Amino acid sequence: MIPEWLTTLAAAGSAALVNAASTDVWQAARERFARLLGRGDPDRTEAATRRLDDLRRVVREPGNERELAEARRAWRLRLQDLLEESPDAAEELRSAIAELPPPRPASAAAIRQDNRAYDHGTVNAVVNGDLTVHPARPVGSDG
């Protein structure tokens, strides 16, 4: 049974990797994780590189939240397997995570919001921005 801290580390690695797949640091992250997963074996490194390329394709497709969640789960399991087989890889994984940008907040496209006002009511809502409130105009006024 894998210790809880290794499971947490694998989850952090998965989140960081999936996030990095849509950033400018992808090539460096791809190479680093391919080496980490390959553990010096060229065949394993090649297989990891193919999986990482598949991840990049998934991340670049718009509106695929389900596939992204599945990718995070799959990479968490891969990293857990790696840490279970090679506990000494934990420090290298920590180092790889530290070099990646922090996860971004959920995109506006991923946030579904439904705001409604009835009978001349007011709704104020903000997602990642500032709220500006303008004075209410009397009903029936033009301006």
Side-chain angles (χ1 to χ4, degrees), residues 47-66:
T49 300
R50 282 193 308 273
R51 287 184 181 118
L52 289 162
D53 290 341
D54 290 342
L55 171 62
R56 174 77 164 187
R57 280 188 285 281
V58 167
V59 168
R60 297 183 92 183
E61 294 172 12
N64 62 347
E65 293 304 312
R66 189 166 145 242

Side-chain angles (χ1 to χ4, degrees), residues 3-127:
E4 186 176 335
W5 72 272
L6 287 178
T7 301
T8 302
L9 180 59
S14 172
L17 181 62
V18 171
N19 179 62
S22 65
T23 68
D24 295 343
V25 301
W26 174 244
Q27 281 303 333
R30 176 184 175 265
E31 291 171 17
R32 178 87 186 253
F33 274 82
R35 280 193 314 272
L36 173 68
L37 292 158
R39 309 303 297 154
D41 179 324
D43 293 334
R44 285 179 66 166
T45 302
E46 168 95 16
T49 300
R50 282 193 308 273
R51 287 184 181 118
L52 289 162
D53 290 341
D54 290 342
L55 171 62
R56 174 77 164 187
R57 280 188 285 281
V58 167
V59 168
R60 297 183 92 183
E61 294 172 12
N64 62 347
E65 293 304 312
R66 189 166 145 242
E67 290 85 358
L68 283 173
E70 177 56 32
R72 282 186 203 92
R73 188 187 74 74
W75 280 100
R76 179 182 49 82
L77 293 174
R78 280 189 188 103
L79 292 173
Q80 274 182 226
D81 288 346
L82 169 71
L83 294 172
E84 199 166 19
E85 292 170 13
S86 305
D88 59 311
E91 192 54 44
E92 191 176 346
L93 178 57
R94 270 194 206 100
S95 175
I97 293 168
E99 291 178 6
L100 297 176
R104 295 175 312 223
S107 69
I111 299 171
R112 184 176 183 284
Q113 187 170 337
D114 187 13
N115 299 314
R116 298 174 191 210
Y118 298 97
D119 296 325
H120 308 290
T122 302
V123 173
N124 298 314
V126 176
V127 176

